[in-house]
């Protein structure tokens, strides 16, 4: 916009203020928003890596039987401890979650309504996981108590 003055023409910038949109003051989760999809993704990766390392150790300790049966028996003997019993509980919990969540991921990817229902399917996975673990846990805890006696 030009303005006439005694000495000539000068440019005058129009005074326009643009307000930035206000950020929501509601904090949700972490930097990544903390929704069920993110936590499902994180848990799926953690359980997958844990299962991978278990399988690696399992293959290595089973291979010991061909090298030295005495070494194999010694390693297997260390597995019969309360701490390893807790590890078995954690392993079963990880495998069951990973399997159920894997089925949920397949549904999200290949079912046309999967993305719309992914949050509900996550909670269904958690309920089914809890029911299955509740069926497994009493027997395993009895083994744990027997290890202390």
């Amino acid at each position: 916009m030009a303005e006439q003055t005694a000495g000539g023409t000068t440019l005058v910038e129009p005074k326009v203020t643009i307000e930035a949109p206000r950020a929501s003051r509601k904090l949700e989760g972490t930097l990544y928003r903390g929704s069920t999809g993110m936590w499902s993704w994180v848990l799926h990766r953690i359980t997958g890596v844990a299962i991978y390392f278990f399988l690696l150790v399992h293959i290595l300790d089973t291979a010991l039987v061909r090298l030295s049966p005495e070494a194999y028996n010694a390693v297997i003997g260390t597995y019969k401890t309360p701490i390893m019993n807790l590890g078995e509980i954690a392993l079963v919990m990880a495998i069951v979650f990973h399997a159920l969540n894997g089925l949920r991921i397949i549904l999200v990817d290949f079912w046309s309504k999967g993305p719309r229902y992914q949050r509900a399917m996550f909670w269904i996975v958690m309920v089914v996981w809890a029911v299955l673990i509740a069926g497994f846990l009493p027997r395993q805890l009895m083994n744990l108590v027997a290890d202390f006696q």
Side-chain angles (χ1 to χ4, degrees):
M1 177 177 202
E3 182 179 284
Q4 291 288 347
T5 62
T9 307
T10 60
L11 284 176
V12 176
E13 295 290 325
K15 295 181 181 178
V16 178
T17 38
I18 300 173
E19 291 187 30
R22 292 183 181 247
S24 171
R25 293 184 186 258
K26 182 177 149 186
L27 296 175
E28 290 185 19
T30 65
L31 176 66
Y32 299 103
R33 303 278 191 259
S35 67
T36 55
M38 184 203 70
W39 290 115
S40 169
W41 180 85
V42 168
L43 288 173
H44 198 74
R45 295 321 182 264
I46 290 170
T47 57
V49 169
I51 293 166
Y52 170 78
F53 282 115
F54 162 76
L55 290 174
L56 180 66
V57 170
H58 180 63
I59 290 168
L60 292 175
D61 68 17
T62 303
L64 279 175
V65 81
R66 294 185 66 65
L67 297 174
S68 167
E70 295 80 24
Y72 174 79
N73 289 335
V75 169
I76 295 301
T78 63
Y79 291 161
K80 296 177 182 177
T81 64
I83 291 175
M84 291 307 290
N85 196 315
L86 290 173
E88 287 177 5
I89 291 171
L91 176 67
V92 170
M93 293 170 82
I95 290 171
V96 172
F97 174 80
H98 195 80
L100 293 172
N101 195 51
L103 294 174
R104 184 191 74 84
I105 291 170
I106 290 170
L107 286 173
V108 168
D109 286 346
F110 294 110
W111 181 34
S112 63
K113 295 180 183 178
R116 183 180 313 149
Y117 296 115
Q118 68 90 15
R119 178 174 287 161
M121 288 190 292
F122 173 76
W123 291 112
I124 291 169
V125 163
M126 295 309 289
V127 168
V128 171
W129 175 82
V131 168
L132 292 173
I133 294 303
F136 160 77
L137 214 48
R139 174 66 185 182
Q140 198 66 16
L141 290 175
M142 287 190 321
N143 291 340
L144 182 63
V145 170
D147 284 344
F148 281 113
Q149 295 174 353

